[in-house]
mmCIF file of all heavy atoms in Angstrom:
data_model
loop_
_atom_site.group_PDB
_atom_site.id
_atom_site.type_symbol
_atom_site.label_atom_id
_atom_site.label_comp_id
_atom_site.label_asym_id
_atom_site.label_seq_id
_atom_site.Cartn_x
_atom_site.Cartn_y
_atom_site.Cartn_z
ATOM 1 N N VAL A 167 6.494 14.090 -11.041
ATOM 2 C CA VAL A 167 5.872 15.181 -10.371
ATOM 3 C C VAL A 167 4.529 14.724 -9.802
ATOM 4 O O VAL A 167 4.201 15.091 -8.715
ATOM 5 C CB VAL A 167 5.717 16.496 -11.268
ATOM 6 C CG1 VAL A 167 4.693 17.404 -10.732
ATOM 7 C CG2 VAL A 167 7.129 17.182 -11.607
ATOM 8 N N ALA A 168 3.657 13.986 -10.567
ATOM 9 C CA ALA A 168 2.433 13.457 -10.025
ATOM 10 C C ALA A 168 2.623 12.650 -8.836
ATOM 11 O O ALA A 168 1.877 12.714 -7.884
ATOM 12 C CB ALA A 168 1.803 12.649 -11.186
ATOM 13 N N GLN A 169 3.717 11.825 -8.893
ATOM 14 C CA GLN A 169 3.970 11.060 -7.627
ATOM 15 C C GLN A 169 4.281 11.991 -6.501
ATOM 16 O O GLN A 169 3.694 11.753 -5.385
ATOM 17 C CB GLN A 169 5.234 10.233 -7.877
ATOM 18 C CG GLN A 169 5.067 8.778 -8.342
ATOM 19 C CD GLN A 169 6.376 8.125 -8.363
ATOM 20 O OE1 GLN A 169 7.436 8.718 -8.353
ATOM 21 N NE2 GLN A 169 6.199 6.780 -8.338
ATOM 22 N N ALA A 170 5.183 13.015 -6.730
ATOM 23 C CA ALA A 170 5.544 13.880 -5.664
ATOM 24 C C ALA A 170 4.349 14.588 -5.060
ATOM 25 O O ALA A 170 4.201 14.898 -3.882
ATOM 26 C CB ALA A 170 6.688 14.672 -6.096
ATOM 27 N N ALA A 171 3.420 15.006 -6.005
ATOM 28 C CA ALA A 171 2.294 15.816 -5.649
ATOM 29 C C ALA A 171 1.115 14.989 -5.199
ATOM 30 O O ALA A 171 0.004 15.579 -4.909
ATOM 31 C CB ALA A 171 1.908 16.779 -6.675
ATOM 32 N N ARG A 172 1.328 13.714 -5.297
ATOM 33 C CA ARG A 172 0.151 12.820 -4.927
ATOM 34 C C ARG A 172 -1.073 13.151 -5.751
ATOM 35 O O ARG A 172 -2.170 13.224 -5.297
ATOM 36 C CB ARG A 172 -0.205 12.799 -3.435
ATOM 37 C CG ARG A 172 0.984 12.366 -2.629
ATOM 38 C CD ARG A 172 0.495 12.218 -1.087
ATOM 39 N NE ARG A 172 1.713 12.067 -0.319
ATOM 40 C CZ ARG A 172 2.383 13.076 0.341
ATOM 41 N NH1 ARG A 172 1.858 14.294 0.230
ATOM 42 N NH2 ARG A 172 3.375 12.833 0.980
ATOM 43 N N ALA A 173 -0.818 13.224 -7.121
ATOM 44 C CA ALA A 173 -1.961 13.654 -8.052
ATOM 45 C C ALA A 173 -2.702 12.313 -8.269
ATOM 46 O O ALA A 173 -2.363 11.241 -8.080
ATOM 47 C CB ALA A 173 -1.338 14.159 -9.219
ATOM 48 N N SER A 174 -3.906 12.483 -8.808
ATOM 49 C CA SER A 174 -4.768 11.425 -9.224
ATOM 50 C C SER A 174 -4.522 11.001 -10.662
ATOM 51 O O SER A 174 -4.742 9.763 -10.958
ATOM 52 C CB SER A 174 -6.243 11.732 -9.029
ATOM 53 O OG SER A 174 -6.429 12.781 -8.101
ATOM 54 N N ALA A 175 -4.098 11.881 -11.481
ATOM 55 C CA ALA A 175 -3.986 11.548 -12.861
ATOM 56 C C ALA A 175 -2.952 12.548 -13.594
ATOM 57 O O ALA A 175 -2.746 13.615 -13.063
ATOM 58 C CB ALA A 175 -5.305 11.680 -13.614
ATOM 59 N N VAL A 176 -2.464 12.029 -14.605
ATOM 60 C CA VAL A 176 -1.570 12.754 -15.589
ATOM 61 C C VAL A 176 -2.105 12.875 -16.961
ATOM 62 O O VAL A 176 -2.542 11.772 -17.508
ATOM 63 C CB VAL A 176 -0.127 12.207 -15.658
ATOM 64 C CG1 VAL A 176 0.794 13.066 -16.569
ATOM 65 C CG2 VAL A 176 0.538 12.056 -14.227
ATOM 66 N N LEU A 177 -2.165 14.042 -17.590
ATOM 67 C CA LEU A 177 -2.765 14.091 -18.988
ATOM 68 C C LEU A 177 -1.562 14.636 -19.741
ATOM 69 O O LEU A 177 -1.078 15.774 -19.497
ATOM 70 C CB LEU A 177 -3.869 15.095 -18.972
ATOM 71 C CG LEU A 177 -4.441 15.324 -20.385
ATOM 72 C CD1 LEU A 177 -4.950 14.085 -21.156
ATOM 73 C CD2 LEU A 177 -5.565 16.424 -20.369
ATOM 74 N N LEU A 178 -1.068 13.788 -20.631
ATOM 75 C CA LEU A 178 0.028 14.128 -21.513
ATOM 76 C C LEU A 178 -0.533 14.637 -22.837
ATOM 77 O O LEU A 178 -1.023 13.819 -23.726
ATOM 78 C CB LEU A 178 1.022 13.002 -21.873
ATOM 79 C CG LEU A 178 1.796 12.274 -20.716
ATOM 80 C CD1 LEU A 178 2.508 11.160 -21.053
ATOM 81 C CD2 LEU A 178 2.528 13.332 -19.855
ATOM 82 N N LEU A 179 -0.472 15.927 -23.027
ATOM 83 C CA LEU A 179 -0.942 16.459 -24.295
ATOM 84 C C LEU A 179 0.205 16.576 -25.197
ATOM 85 O O LEU A 179 1.182 17.203 -24.984
ATOM 86 C CB LEU A 179 -1.523 17.901 -24.107
ATOM 87 C CG LEU A 179 -2.875 17.956 -23.255
ATOM 88 C CD1 LEU A 179 -3.256 19.398 -23.077
ATOM 89 C CD2 LEU A 179 -3.920 17.174 -24.013
ATOM 90 N N SER A 180 0.027 15.880 -26.322
ATOM 91 C CA SER A 180 1.189 15.981 -27.426
ATOM 92 C C SER A 180 0.621 16.058 -28.811
ATOM 93 O O SER A 180 -0.556 16.436 -28.992
ATOM 94 C CB SER A 180 1.977 14.635 -27.147
ATOM 95 O OG SER A 180 1.743 13.745 -28.088
ATOM 96 N N ASP A 181 1.416 15.592 -29.737
ATOM 97 C CA ASP A 181 0.760 15.676 -31.162
ATOM 98 C C ASP A 181 0.321 14.431 -31.744
ATOM 99 O O ASP A 181 0.221 14.158 -32.888
ATOM 100 C CB ASP A 181 1.917 16.423 -32.069
ATOM 101 C CG ASP A 181 3.279 15.584 -31.909
ATOM 102 O OD1 ASP A 181 3.348 14.573 -31.351
ATOM 103 O OD2 ASP A 181 4.213 16.030 -32.438
ATOM 104 N N VAL A 182 0.067 13.480 -30.798
ATOM 105 C CA VAL A 182 -0.603 12.228 -31.325
ATOM 106 C C VAL A 182 -1.853 12.012 -30.411
ATOM 107 O O VAL A 182 -2.028 12.534 -29.372
ATOM 108 C CB VAL A 182 0.275 11.048 -31.061
ATOM 109 C CG1 VAL A 182 1.488 10.949 -32.159
ATOM 110 C CG2 VAL A 182 0.846 10.931 -29.601
ATOM 111 N N ASP A 183 -2.808 11.160 -31.005
ATOM 112 C CA ASP A 183 -4.111 10.910 -30.270
ATOM 113 C C ASP A 183 -3.938 10.080 -29.165
ATOM 114 O O ASP A 183 -4.764 10.039 -28.283
ATOM 115 C CB ASP A 183 -5.053 10.388 -31.315
ATOM 116 C CG ASP A 183 -5.860 11.423 -32.083
ATOM 117 O OD1 ASP A 183 -5.964 12.611 -31.507
ATOM 118 O OD2 ASP A 183 -6.225 11.291 -33.314
ATOM 119 N N GLY A 184 -2.860 9.254 -29.106
ATOM 120 C CA GLY A 184 -2.716 8.264 -28.080
ATOM 121 C C GLY A 184 -1.683 7.138 -28.565
ATOM 122 O O GLY A 184 -0.971 7.416 -29.510
ATOM 123 N N LEU A 185 -2.014 6.074 -27.965
ATOM 124 C CA LEU A 185 -1.075 4.812 -28.332
ATOM 125 C C LEU A 185 -2.000 4.107 -29.415
ATOM 126 O O LEU A 185 -3.060 3.810 -29.135
ATOM 127 C CB LEU A 185 -0.737 3.915 -27.208
ATOM 128 C CG LEU A 185 0.098 2.790 -27.580
ATOM 129 C CD1 LEU A 185 1.452 3.052 -27.971
ATOM 130 C CD2 LEU A 185 0.102 1.820 -26.286
ATOM 131 N N PHE A 186 -1.336 3.831 -30.465
ATOM 132 C CA PHE A 186 -1.865 2.993 -31.570
ATOM 133 C C PHE A 186 -1.247 1.599 -31.496
ATOM 134 O O PHE A 186 -0.157 1.366 -31.024
ATOM 135 C CB PHE A 186 -1.623 3.610 -32.984
ATOM 136 C CG PHE A 186 -2.371 4.872 -33.283
ATOM 137 C CD1 PHE A 186 -2.043 6.090 -32.660
ATOM 138 C CD2 PHE A 186 -3.632 4.756 -33.996
ATOM 139 C CE1 PHE A 186 -2.821 7.228 -32.935
ATOM 140 C CE2 PHE A 186 -4.370 5.946 -34.196
ATOM 141 C CZ PHE A 186 -4.021 7.148 -33.640
ATOM 142 N N ASP A 187 -1.982 0.668 -32.093
ATOM 143 C CA ASP A 187 -1.520 -0.734 -31.990
ATOM 144 C C ASP A 187 -0.285 -1.028 -32.902
ATOM 145 O O ASP A 187 0.310 -1.988 -32.885
ATOM 146 C CB ASP A 187 -2.657 -1.792 -32.304
ATOM 147 C CG ASP A 187 -3.269 -1.647 -33.558
ATOM 148 O OD1 ASP A 187 -2.996 -0.564 -34.280
ATOM 149 O OD2 ASP A 187 -4.110 -2.404 -33.935
ATOM 150 N N ARG A 188 -0.038 -0.030 -33.804
ATOM 151 C CA ARG A 188 1.139 -0.097 -34.733
ATOM 152 C C ARG A 188 1.458 1.315 -35.161
ATOM 153 O O ARG A 188 0.651 2.257 -34.727
ATOM 154 C CB ARG A 188 0.857 -0.980 -35.893
ATOM 155 C CG ARG A 188 -0.078 -0.384 -36.859
ATOM 156 C CD ARG A 188 -0.561 -1.464 -37.872
ATOM 157 N NE ARG A 188 -1.666 -2.270 -37.030
ATOM 158 C CZ ARG A 188 -2.591 -3.073 -37.645
ATOM 159 N NH1 ARG A 188 -2.407 -3.354 -38.909
ATOM 160 N NH2 ARG A 188 -3.436 -3.666 -37.028
ATOM 161 N N ASN A 189 2.489 1.496 -35.911
ATOM 162 C CA ASN A 189 2.845 2.877 -36.305
ATOM 163 C C ASN A 189 1.622 3.471 -36.881
ATOM 164 O O ASN A 189 0.958 3.009 -37.804
ATOM 165 C CB ASN A 189 3.978 2.766 -37.312
ATOM 166 C CG ASN A 189 4.465 4.173 -37.814
ATOM 167 O OD1 ASN A 189 3.768 5.203 -37.637
ATOM 168 N ND2 ASN A 189 5.729 4.128 -38.255
ATOM 169 N N PRO A 190 1.105 4.652 -36.227
ATOM 170 C CA PRO A 190 -0.200 5.320 -36.756
ATOM 171 C C PRO A 190 0.018 5.628 -38.287
ATOM 172 O O PRO A 190 -1.128 5.956 -38.888
ATOM 173 C CB PRO A 190 -0.257 6.498 -35.814
ATOM 174 C CG PRO A 190 1.128 6.622 -35.081
ATOM 175 C CD PRO A 190 1.771 5.431 -35.199
ATOM 176 N N ALA A 191 1.064 5.732 -38.899
ATOM 177 C CA ALA A 191 1.140 6.046 -40.245
ATOM 178 C C ALA A 191 0.786 4.949 -41.120
ATOM 179 O O ALA A 191 0.483 5.074 -42.314
ATOM 180 C CB ALA A 191 2.578 6.528 -40.625
ATOM 181 N N LEU A 192 0.766 3.685 -40.614
ATOM 182 C CA LEU A 192 0.436 2.507 -41.298
ATOM 183 C C LEU A 192 -1.171 2.408 -41.432
ATOM 184 O O LEU A 192 -1.883 2.664 -40.645
ATOM 185 C CB LEU A 192 1.031 1.233 -40.721
ATOM 186 C CG LEU A 192 2.475 1.182 -40.579
ATOM 187 C CD1 LEU A 192 2.914 0.002 -39.771
ATOM 188 C CD2 LEU A 192 3.067 1.066 -41.911
ATOM 189 N N PRO A 193 -1.564 1.748 -42.564
ATOM 190 C CA PRO A 193 -3.018 1.552 -42.755
ATOM 191 C C PRO A 193 -3.511 0.641 -41.756
ATOM 192 O O PRO A 193 -2.896 -0.281 -41.276
ATOM 193 C CB PRO A 193 -3.190 1.046 -44.160
ATOM 194 C CG PRO A 193 -1.794 0.639 -44.544
ATOM 195 C CD PRO A 193 -0.905 1.418 -43.868
ATOM 196 N N GLY A 194 -4.713 0.829 -41.202
ATOM 197 C CA GLY A 194 -5.306 -0.061 -40.226
ATOM 198 C C GLY A 194 -4.971 0.158 -38.786
ATOM 199 O O GLY A 194 -5.356 -0.563 -37.880
ATOM 200 N N ALA A 195 -4.029 1.125 -38.555
ATOM 201 C CA ALA A 195 -3.575 1.335 -37.193
ATOM 202 C C ALA A 195 -4.745 1.799 -36.366
ATOM 203 O O ALA A 195 -5.571 2.662 -36.720
ATOM 204 C CB ALA A 195 -2.516 2.409 -37.083
ATOM 205 N N LYS A 196 -4.903 1.264 -35.131
ATOM 206 C CA LYS A 196 -6.030 1.457 -34.317
ATOM 207 C C LYS A 196 -5.600 2.145 -32.955
ATOM 208 O O LYS A 196 -4.570 1.664 -32.435
ATOM 209 C CB LYS A 196 -6.741 0.216 -33.847
ATOM 210 C CG LYS A 196 -7.650 -0.236 -34.995
ATOM 211 C CD LYS A 196 -8.763 -1.292 -34.278
ATOM 212 C CE LYS A 196 -9.269 -2.276 -35.291
ATOM 213 N NZ LYS A 196 -8.209 -3.155 -35.963
ATOM 214 N N LEU A 197 -6.309 3.192 -32.564
ATOM 215 C CA LEU A 197 -6.015 3.669 -31.320
ATOM 216 C C LEU A 197 -6.397 2.903 -30.122
ATOM 217 O O LEU A 197 -7.609 2.426 -30.109
ATOM 218 C CB LEU A 197 -6.719 5.106 -31.304
ATOM 219 C CG LEU A 197 -6.657 6.028 -29.992
ATOM 220 C CD1 LEU A 197 -5.151 6.495 -29.819
ATOM 221 C CD2 LEU A 197 -7.698 7.073 -29.942
ATOM 222 N N LEU A 198 -5.660 2.679 -29.171
ATOM 223 C CA LEU A 198 -6.137 1.776 -27.971
ATOM 224 C C LEU A 198 -6.729 2.758 -26.943
ATOM 225 O O LEU A 198 -6.040 3.780 -26.495
ATOM 226 C CB LEU A 198 -4.885 1.176 -27.354
ATOM 227 C CG LEU A 198 -4.106 0.250 -28.230
ATOM 228 C CD1 LEU A 198 -2.885 -0.272 -27.451
ATOM 229 C CD2 LEU A 198 -4.944 -0.873 -28.769
ATOM 230 N N PRO A 199 -7.989 2.617 -26.622
ATOM 231 C CA PRO A 199 -8.626 3.586 -25.755
ATOM 232 C C PRO A 199 -8.185 3.432 -24.229
ATOM 233 O O PRO A 199 -8.152 4.339 -23.441
ATOM 234 C CB PRO A 199 -10.142 3.246 -25.781
ATOM 235 C CG PRO A 199 -10.288 1.991 -26.509
ATOM 236 C CD PRO A 199 -8.904 1.770 -27.264
ATOM 237 N N GLU A 200 -7.759 2.107 -23.858
ATOM 238 C CA GLU A 200 -7.414 1.821 -22.493
ATOM 239 C C GLU A 200 -6.365 0.693 -22.453
ATOM 240 O O GLU A 200 -6.304 -0.163 -23.244
ATOM 241 C CB GLU A 200 -8.632 1.343 -21.715
ATOM 242 C CG GLU A 200 -8.510 1.098 -20.370
ATOM 243 C CD GLU A 200 -9.628 0.658 -19.628
ATOM 244 O OE1 GLU A 200 -10.658 1.230 -19.660
ATOM 245 O OE2 GLU A 200 -9.507 -0.459 -18.940
ATOM 246 N N VAL A 201 -5.377 1.029 -21.661
ATOM 247 C CA VAL A 201 -4.300 0.000 -21.407
ATOM 248 C C VAL A 201 -4.120 -0.338 -20.052
ATOM 249 O O VAL A 201 -4.111 0.609 -19.127
ATOM 250 C CB VAL A 201 -3.088 0.546 -21.899
ATOM 251 C CG1 VAL A 201 -1.810 -0.363 -21.613
ATOM 252 C CG2 VAL A 201 -2.941 0.842 -23.440
ATOM 253 N N ARG A 202 -4.213 -1.601 -19.612
ATOM 254 C CA ARG A 202 -4.185 -1.984 -18.178
ATOM 255 C C ARG A 202 -2.797 -2.577 -18.043
ATOM 256 O O ARG A 202 -2.448 -3.754 -18.359
ATOM 257 C CB ARG A 202 -5.143 -3.006 -17.878
ATOM 258 C CG ARG A 202 -6.533 -2.570 -17.852
ATOM 259 C CD ARG A 202 -6.992 -2.301 -16.410
ATOM 260 N NE ARG A 202 -8.313 -1.727 -16.330
ATOM 261 C CZ ARG A 202 -8.830 -1.205 -15.280
ATOM 262 N NH1 ARG A 202 -8.076 -1.141 -14.088
ATOM 263 N NH2 ARG A 202 -9.970 -0.576 -15.324
ATOM 264 N N GLY A 203 -1.777 -1.920 -17.593
ATOM 265 C CA GLY A 203 -0.452 -2.500 -17.318
ATOM 266 C C GLY A 203 0.375 -2.285 -18.610
ATOM 267 O O GLY A 203 -0.001 -2.804 -19.640
ATOM 268 N N VAL A 204 1.574 -1.770 -18.444
ATOM 269 C CA VAL A 204 2.486 -1.529 -19.646
ATOM 270 C C VAL A 204 3.320 -2.770 -19.845
ATOM 271 O O VAL A 204 4.325 -2.906 -19.149
ATOM 272 C CB VAL A 204 3.250 -0.237 -19.429
ATOM 273 C CG1 VAL A 204 4.140 0.006 -20.697
ATOM 274 C CG2 VAL A 204 2.424 1.041 -19.161
ATOM 275 N N THR A 205 2.871 -3.707 -20.587
ATOM 276 C CA THR A 205 3.579 -4.913 -20.736
ATOM 277 C C THR A 205 4.606 -4.853 -21.921
ATOM 278 O O THR A 205 4.567 -3.820 -22.680
ATOM 279 C CB THR A 205 2.482 -6.056 -21.291
ATOM 280 O OG1 THR A 205 1.837 -5.495 -22.371
ATOM 281 C CG2 THR A 205 1.493 -6.274 -20.061
ATOM 282 N N ALA A 206 5.357 -5.836 -22.165
ATOM 283 C CA ALA A 206 6.287 -5.896 -23.229
ATOM 284 C C ALA A 206 5.570 -5.721 -24.579
ATOM 285 O O ALA A 206 6.062 -5.023 -25.454
ATOM 286 C CB ALA A 206 6.970 -7.256 -23.277
ATOM 287 N N GLU A 207 4.375 -6.300 -24.746
ATOM 288 C CA GLU A 207 3.614 -6.266 -25.924
ATOM 289 C C GLU A 207 3.237 -4.786 -26.231
ATOM 290 O O GLU A 207 3.301 -4.302 -27.324
ATOM 291 C CB GLU A 207 2.297 -6.993 -25.712
ATOM 292 C CG GLU A 207 1.607 -7.555 -26.887
ATOM 293 C CD GLU A 207 0.231 -8.207 -26.446
ATOM 294 O OE1 GLU A 207 0.105 -8.496 -25.164
ATOM 295 O OE2 GLU A 207 -0.651 -8.188 -27.305
ATOM 296 N N ILE A 208 2.939 -4.045 -25.172
ATOM 297 C CA ILE A 208 2.547 -2.608 -25.324
ATOM 298 C C ILE A 208 3.753 -1.818 -25.663
ATOM 299 O O ILE A 208 3.753 -0.880 -26.582
ATOM 300 C CB ILE A 208 1.949 -1.940 -23.945
ATOM 301 C CG1 ILE A 208 0.609 -2.707 -23.559
ATOM 302 C CG2 ILE A 208 1.852 -0.517 -23.999
ATOM 303 C CD1 ILE A 208 -0.484 -2.326 -24.559
ATOM 304 N N HIS A 209 4.941 -2.218 -25.158
ATOM 305 C CA HIS A 209 6.205 -1.393 -25.519
ATOM 306 C C HIS A 209 6.504 -1.592 -26.987
ATOM 307 O O HIS A 209 7.049 -0.772 -27.660
ATOM 308 C CB HIS A 209 7.349 -1.955 -24.564
ATOM 309 C CG HIS A 209 7.506 -1.165 -23.381
ATOM 310 N ND1 HIS A 209 7.880 0.090 -23.377
ATOM 311 C CD2 HIS A 209 7.362 -1.549 -22.090
ATOM 312 C CE1 HIS A 209 8.014 0.536 -22.036
ATOM 313 N NE2 HIS A 209 7.559 -0.504 -21.373
#
Side-chain angles (χ1 to χ4, degrees):
V167 162
Q169 265 188 340
R172 299 188 191 94
S174 332
V176 181
L177 174 61
L178 299 178
L179 290 177
S180 100
D181 53 7
V182 288
D183 271 333
L185 178 67
F186 286 80
D187 60 353
R188 68 198 80 168
N189 185 337
L192 295 173
K196 276 199 211 61
L197 178 68
L198 303 180
E200 190 181 299
V201 173
R202 290 256 177 197
V204 185
T205 56
E207 204 186 339
I208 294 292
H209 273 292

